[in-house]
Amino acid sequence: MITKNSTTQINSLNRGNMKTLVVLSHPDLESSIANKTIIEHIKKTVPTSQLEVRHLESLYPDYKIDIEKEQAALLNAGILIFQHPLYWYATPSILKKYLDDVMTWGFAYGTGGDKLKGKQFLQSITLGGSKESFTPLGYNRFSVEDILKPMQQSVYHMQMIYNLPLYSYRNAYVPEIYNSMWEVKETAIAHAKKLIEKIQDFSKGNQEKVEAFIHKWFSHFDRLDENGYFIQYLHKDVEFTFPGYGKMKGHPEFNEWYRSIKEKLEAPTKHEVQNLIIEETERNQFDIRFQVQFKAREKESQKEIDVVETENWKLIWDENSDRPIIEKYIVTI
């Protein structure tokens, strides 16, 4: 059993780098219903200190993109959103030019081109057609995800964190012919709410997930679960130290240590996590410190164990798999 009997401290890095940059592309935003509504709702909800919206067609009507200015905006953000309608199964032309001009060698890819590494990316798209039209039997033939494969690969190439696209259907409005203005607005508002939720989730980071994982980890130790549960969360070259065993490294040595523990102790054991401090030193890299009140009984001697251990972990959160990996695991008494 695990008891959260003290306040958890979560010391985040300066999350100013979690500012959201929305690169908006729409050739006629003023006459737009869907994209204009989405942007208006985002601006009303997300604090201005944490949001920048750059409408490419307004900034660069001559298509002469200021590369340094756009790269500076990217460096100042931790979340990048492309907001646009789907034009000929791709982006509007200036957004494609933005990719060509701004995502340069040495900046977004190639030698030294890791400036966007680890940033969250989301493509937010308004579609004119119905859901049924993006099926093998529909007039668009392909799913939205299939159509967006080139963008997905581009994001991977730039080492950003790719998130499944957010899109909504039936955003086109033709008076007396296709949809109603109110229907399109309602769809856009629903789209905006989902997008805002995504932004909020990205901004929170993964500290809460790390805390939940720590408590889950010890619940499995309490029942002396199979070693396969623990191995999946340990780096293949994990460094770990336990009282009486010294320094060890890697999965084989962990397995040997855990085998000896299961032979020695009766199940269940009891861990009470205390004074948990989670510090995010770099994005998704955590230093974790806490105490554990550990209680158990030895099988052979029936001796009762009741000690307070101090634990220091180094853990990374892999956002692609949405799973933690422990790199260092130090236990002292």
Side-chain angles (χ1 to χ4, degrees):
M1 187 181 90
I2 298 170
T3 304
K4 291 174 64 176
N5 56 2
S6 60
T7 302
T8 301
Q9 299 179 36
I10 298 179
N11 301 327
S12 300
L13 59 108
N14 184 344
R15 301 199 74 82
N17 69 338
M18 290 311 292
K19 184 172 184 177
T20 299
L21 173 63
V22 178
V23 176
L24 168 65
S25 181
H26 194 294
D28 189 6
L29 188 62
E30 284 307 308
S31 65
S32 164
I33 299 174
N35 280 270
K36 186 177 180 181
T37 300
I38 290 168
I39 292 299
E40 286 174 348
H41 274 72
I42 292 173
K43 287 182 174 180
K44 288 178 183 177
T45 306
V46 181
T48 55
S49 62
Q50 292 298 307
L51 176 69
E52 182 177 8
V53 178
R54 299 184 66 79
H55 180 214
L56 296 179
E57 285 84 354
S58 296
L59 290 169
Y60 308 111
D62 57 1
Y63 273 53
K64 295 179 180 179
I65 296 174
D66 188 326
I67 296 172
E68 289 187 3
K69 186 173 290 186
E70 295 306 319
Q71 289 183 345
L74 285 165
L75 292 174
N76 194 41
I79 304 165
L80 173 60
I81 296 172
F82 283 177
Q83 176 66 52
H84 64 90
L86 191 68
Y87 270 37
W88 284 108
Y89 308 104
T91 67
S93 58
I94 196 170
L95 185 50
K96 175 59 169 68
K97 191 173 191 298
Y98 173 95
L99 283 167
D100 293 343
D101 291 359
V102 177
M103 306 306 192
T104 56
W105 174 281
F107 178 79
Y109 72 101
T111 304
D114 59 354
K115 306 303 185 293
L116 305 180
K117 183 177 181 180
K119 296 181 185 292
Q120 298 281 358
F121 175 85
L122 179 66
Q123 198 170 6
S124 173
I125 308 167
T126 56
L127 307 169
S130 66
K131 183 176 181 179
E132 293 75 18
S133 71
F134 290 92
T135 62
L137 297 180
Y139 60 80
N140 288 310
R141 306 282 182 175
F142 299 96
S143 70
V144 178
E145 286 79 5
D146 285 340
I147 291 168
L148 299 179
K149 290 295 185 185
M151 183 66 75
Q152 182 176 0
Q153 174 54 29
S154 297
V155 172
Y156 289 149
H157 195 54
M158 292 183 280
Q159 302 182 74
M160 287 188 283
I161 298 168
Y162 182 80
N163 293 275
L164 292 176
L166 176 62
Y167 49 87
S168 52
Y169 302 99
R170 300 182 67 87
N171 286 289
Y173 168 60
V174 181
E176 308 298 329
I177 297 175
Y178 191 72
N179 293 332
S180 73
M181 183 179 295
W182 284 110
E183 181 186 16
V184 174
K185 282 187 176 180
E186 288 172 351
T187 300
I189 291 170
H191 184 123
K193 288 179 178 178
K194 292 178 182 178
L195 186 54
I196 290 164
E197 287 177 2
K198 286 284 189 182
I199 292 171
Q200 292 171 339
D201 286 344
F202 291 150
S203 298
K204 284 191 301 186
N206 292 299
Q207 296 96 328
E208 292 180 3
K209 292 181 180 179
V210 169
E211 181 182 0
F213 165 71
I214 290 168
H215 289 282
K216 182 180 177 183
W217 173 270
F218 284 109
S219 72
H220 284 263
F221 257 130
D222 280 348
R223 64 176 67 102
L224 294 177
D225 200 356
E226 299 174 47
N227 63 339
Y229 171 80
F230 304 102
I231 287 295
Q232 64 181 322
Y233 298 114
L234 296 174
H235 190 278
K236 64 181 181 65
D237 295 320
V238 62
E239 297 177 19
F240 57 102
T241 301
F242 292 97
Y245 291 86
K247 295 182 179 179
M248 294 168 280
K249 184 175 182 178
H251 290 183
E253 292 191 5
F254 178 87
N255 287 337
E256 184 62 24
W257 168 82
Y258 190 57
R259 181 191 61 76
S260 69
I261 291 296
K262 292 185 73 172
E263 289 178 351
K264 180 178 180 181
L265 301 180
E266 291 184 354
T269 64
K270 183 179 180 181
H271 295 77
E272 294 182 1
V273 176
Q274 305 170 359
N275 304 318
L276 177 59
I277 298 175
I278 301 172
E279 182 179 4
E280 188 174 10
T281 55
E282 296 183 34
R283 178 155 174 76
N284 289 322
Q285 298 186 30
F286 299 90
D287 281 350
I288 304 166
R289 303 182 298 280
F290 56 95
Q291 282 77 47
V292 173
Q293 182 82 35
F294 174 57
K295 298 180 180 181
R297 177 183 288 115
E298 294 183 355
K299 289 180 179 179
E300 185 173 338
S301 67
Q302 291 297 294
K303 177 184 176 181
E304 297 285 347
I305 299 172
D306 187 349
V307 296
V308 176
E309 300 174 335
T310 298
E311 304 213 2
N312 290 269
W313 294 12
K314 286 190 179 297
L315 177 149
I316 61 173
W317 194 276
D318 185 339
E319 289 194 291
N320 290 317
S321 62
D322 199 31
R323 290 168 67 83
I325 298 295
I326 301 171
E327 295 184 320
K328 186 172 289 190
Y329 190 135
I330 307 300
V331 181
T332 57
I333 295 178

